[in-house]
Amino acid sequence: MMDNGEDQQLDVRSVVEAVSADHSFGAPLYVVESMCMRCHENGTSRFLLTLIPHFRKVLISAFECPHCGERNNEVQFAGKIQPRGCCYHLDVPAGDVKIFDRQVVKSESATIRIPELDFEIPPEAQRGSLSTVEGILARAADELSALQEERKKVDPKTAEAIDQFLSKLRACAKAETPFTFILDDPAGNSFIENPHAPSPDPSLTIKFYDRTPEQQATLGYLADPSQAGQSQSEGGLGAPSAATTTSTPHGAIGATGGHRAIAQSNNTDISDNLFRYSAPEEVMTFPSTCGACTKLCETRMFVTKIPYFQEVIVMASTCEDCGYRNSELKPGGSIPEKGKKITLSVKNIADLSRDVIKSDTAGVKIPELDLELAGGTLGGMVTTVEGLVTQIRESLARVHGFTFGDSLDESKKNKWKEFGSRLTKLLSLEQPWTLILDDELANSFISPVTDDIKDDHQLTYEEFERSWEQNEELGLNDIDTSSADAAYGSTETAKLP
């Protein structure tokens, strides 16, 4: 803790400059004189830039008015906005009191919803906060009941309706009725603790999604098409009217700097791991929209075949305005009728260098660690076995933000440290271990070390039938192709002599 005698009195601009500076987190506590919004006298705001271990840079602010006693606090994120938004679904059963102690980080852009009550806390209602599930609900109830006495005199019907709602909300806060706690943050900077980590939490579901143009605009990105078009017409990247195809010989990809080929606009994993199989014969270029600033940019695409796997589509985008780069690997062809489970027994150094293609729908399991990651946790990636383990370690440290914080008791802290050391030991190959990719759409791949995949006895592929629930989640149960099949059949019939 810091002694109040060391507080510095300075203006807001100095605080902003201090927050913007990228230095080590031995940051001082800044004190700013500011107006109280209740009594309009001058109070004191304190700012502290700090780092939640393995989570985010945050700016903690606290206000106190000595005249009327008004106090409040707020958490703002001083780091970067994440590439994708996140949505946490927490199922709270009746009678489970412990689940209310889960820590919650709510950013200033996050929305909280409880569908059973048709209740929503918009971003502007509760600013960024560091609390618990119980604290979030208690604060919402307090704010709703703050002016009830005055409301009963002016609008008795509304006050009565709010009283009825508050009784339902307090019943949820006391675990008397089950409900769903949804935390949706387009900035991707919110978090709900998983006390069972690194094991899956049956009550908690995490989904990551691409932001809509409206959400981009809310976060401060340029989303006005007229501005984007004007910027492009003033000398930016021109938008071709149609997709163009450029033929590129084998071996030329990545060799011509002036052409800015896909290998230069893509991450090194794709250029290292895909081009060794087959170089693309054609690179297609077409206009698209930047996922960060929403201005016009250029996307390159080519189709290539990976032996023992399938045809894949590689897409890479580069924005000239903001420098944003993005690469995607999409499966080609039809949706497989069955899912696929890939099991690799990792025994030597060469196994760590095997190429891995993990799709968005693939789950990852390491039985020796009792580790299981649901599909979509890490997103799609092209990497190696070693790179996948490294990504898992970094993802767990990022998502489970209070791993080594002061809020964690000693037993859980020791458990996390032990798990982290065990995860690191996988790469040192002190003992053999097993990597399992379970993909409902069979779009994942681990490369063999032999010319014939049947001769690689450490690698096994197993197909399985998808359940109705899995097809429902993937949206396959509602697909109706009868019209297309009939049209295709009539075309084939017409061609027959």
Side-chain angles (χ1 to χ4, degrees):
M1 298 295 293
M2 185 173 295
D3 186 16
N4 291 338
E6 299 178 3
D7 295 352
Q8 301 182 35
Q9 191 82 18
L10 72 170
D11 60 298
V12 176
R13 181 177 179 180
S14 300
V15 176
V16 174
E17 292 175 351
V19 170
S20 303
D22 188 13
H23 51 68
S24 61
F25 286 86
L29 177 66
Y30 293 96
V31 180
V32 179
E33 187 177 4
S34 53
M35 186 182 71
C36 175
M37 300 307 296
R38 171 172 289 185
C39 67
H40 303 291
E41 296 289 341
N42 283 341
T44 303
S45 292
R46 287 175 170 81
F47 299 88
L48 176 65
L49 178 65
T50 186
L51 176 68
I52 297 178
H54 305 286
F55 184 55
R56 302 278 192 276
K57 300 175 184 178
V58 296
L59 176 65
I60 302 176
S61 60
F63 173 80
E64 183 176 3
C65 178
H67 303 281
C68 67
E70 171 71 7
R71 300 179 66 182
N72 61 63
N73 59 74
E74 185 177 336
V75 175
Q76 294 182 350
F77 291 88
K80 63 181 181 181
I81 295 176
Q82 302 306 305
R84 295 198 295 174
C86 64
C87 186
Y88 289 77
H89 288 248
L90 180 64
D91 294 324
V92 183
D96 189 354
V97 181
K98 291 184 178 180
I99 204 168
F100 289 91
D101 295 331
R102 295 191 184 211
Q103 302 192 63
V104 177
V105 175
K106 178 190 177 298
S107 77
E108 60 270 18
S109 59
T111 300
I112 294 176
R113 294 194 300 272
I114 301 178
E116 290 80 0
L117 301 180
D118 196 19
F119 178 56
E120 178 176 311
I121 304 176
E124 60 272 12
Q126 286 191 16
R127 299 295 298 273
S129 60
L130 175 61
S131 185
T132 62
V133 175
E134 181 182 11
I136 295 287
L137 297 181
R139 181 178 175 183
D142 291 342
E143 291 180 351
L144 284 173
S145 59
L147 300 177
Q148 273 297 82
E149 295 301 325
E150 291 81 355
R151 195 177 289 116
K152 289 178 180 179
K153 300 176 183 177
V154 178
D155 191 349
K157 291 184 178 180
T158 302
E160 183 180 357
I162 292 178
D163 283 335
Q164 294 176 357
F165 175 80
L166 284 173
S167 63
K168 297 179 181 179
L169 183 61
R170 292 192 173 103
C172 290
K174 295 177 181 179
E176 296 177 358
T177 58
F179 66 95
T180 305
F181 186 88
I182 300 176
L183 178 63
D184 191 348
D185 185 7
N189 282 326
S190 294
F191 168 82
I192 296 179
E193 179 189 11
N194 173 14
H196 306 288
S199 301
D201 185 349
S203 302
L204 184 64
T205 304
I206 309 173
K207 293 184 179 180
F208 300 93
Y209 59 88
D210 294 326
R211 289 184 285 266
T212 63
E214 292 77 12
Q215 291 172 330
Q216 295 274 44
T218 302
L219 295 175
Y221 288 113
L222 175 64
D224 187 353
S226 63
Q227 295 181 19
Q230 180 180 358
S231 174
Q232 300 300 331
S233 63
E234 292 175 355
L237 182 64
S241 56
T244 59
T245 303
T246 306
S247 298
T248 309
H250 286 278
I253 294 298
T256 308
H259 189 262
R260 291 186 293 120
I262 291 181
Q264 295 172 326
S265 300
N266 212 338
N267 58 41
T268 56
D269 284 336
I270 290 183
S271 61
D272 290 344
N273 299 319
L274 285 185
F275 291 162
R276 72 178 61 174
Y277 294 108
S278 61
E281 292 291 347
E282 290 185 334
V283 178
M284 295 189 65
T285 303
F286 55 90
S288 60
T289 304
C290 175
C293 67
T294 71
K295 290 188 177 182
L296 294 178
C297 66
E298 192 176 77
T299 296
R300 298 172 183 81
M301 179 185 74
F302 71 85
V303 179
T304 186
K305 171 70 177 176
I306 299 180
Y308 306 113
F309 184 41
Q310 64 184 38
E311 189 176 75
V312 296
I313 301 172
V314 183
M315 303 178 66
S317 302
T318 303
C319 181
E320 292 281 337
D321 292 277
C322 68
Y324 176 75
R325 292 185 176 186
N326 178 47
S327 62
E328 294 182 75
L329 182 71
K330 298 182 178 295
S334 61
I335 297 176
E337 295 182 359
K338 297 181 179 180
K340 183 178 290 185
K341 179 180 179 181
I342 308 173
T343 304
L344 172 66
S345 179
V346 182
K347 298 180 178 179
N348 51 58
I349 296 295
D351 292 330
L352 297 179
S353 302
R354 289 177 185 250
D355 299 328
V356 175
I357 297 177
K358 179 195 170 300
S359 74
D360 290 332
T361 57
V364 181
K365 299 179 182 178
I366 301 178
E368 288 79 3
L369 297 183
D370 292 329
L371 173 66
E372 180 177 349
L373 301 180
T377 302
L378 298 175
M381 63 176 64
V382 181
T383 181
T384 61
V385 173
E386 181 180 8
L388 179 61
V389 174
T390 302
Q391 286 281 350
I392 291 174
R393 182 175 57 194
E394 293 176 354
S395 176
L396 289 175
R398 178 178 62 84
V399 174
H400 303 290
F402 301 95
T403 303
F404 300 110
D406 296 336
S407 59
L408 199 67
D409 59 59
E410 203 62 33
S411 61
K412 290 185 178 180
K413 189 180 300 185
N414 292 334
K415 174 186 174 182
W416 266 104
K417 289 182 178 179
E418 180 184 357
F419 177 81
S421 63
R422 291 172 60 194
L423 190 60
T424 305
K425 287 180 180 179
L426 294 181
L427 301 180
S428 62
L429 292 174
E430 296 183 6
Q431 60 182 13
W433 54 280
T434 307
L435 174 64
I436 300 175
L437 296 183
D438 195 337
D439 194 347
E440 300 168 358
L441 291 180
N443 288 327
S444 297
F445 170 74
I446 298 179
S447 66
V449 293
T450 58
D451 293 334
D452 191 342
I453 195 171
K454 297 180 180 178
D455 297 333
D456 192 341
H457 302 295
Q458 295 175 228
L459 186 64
T460 59
Y461 286 79
E462 177 186 350
E463 292 186 337
F464 61 87
E465 295 284 349
R466 287 188 293 266
S467 64
W468 188 93
E469 289 76 13
Q470 289 174 326
N471 285 329
E472 180 69 16
E473 185 176 351
L474 296 170
L476 301 180
N477 291 332
D478 299 327
I479 293 180
D480 183 8
T481 60
S482 56
S483 300
D485 293 340
Y488 180 79
S490 61
T491 303
E492 291 296 319
T493 305
K495 291 182 179 180
L496 295 176

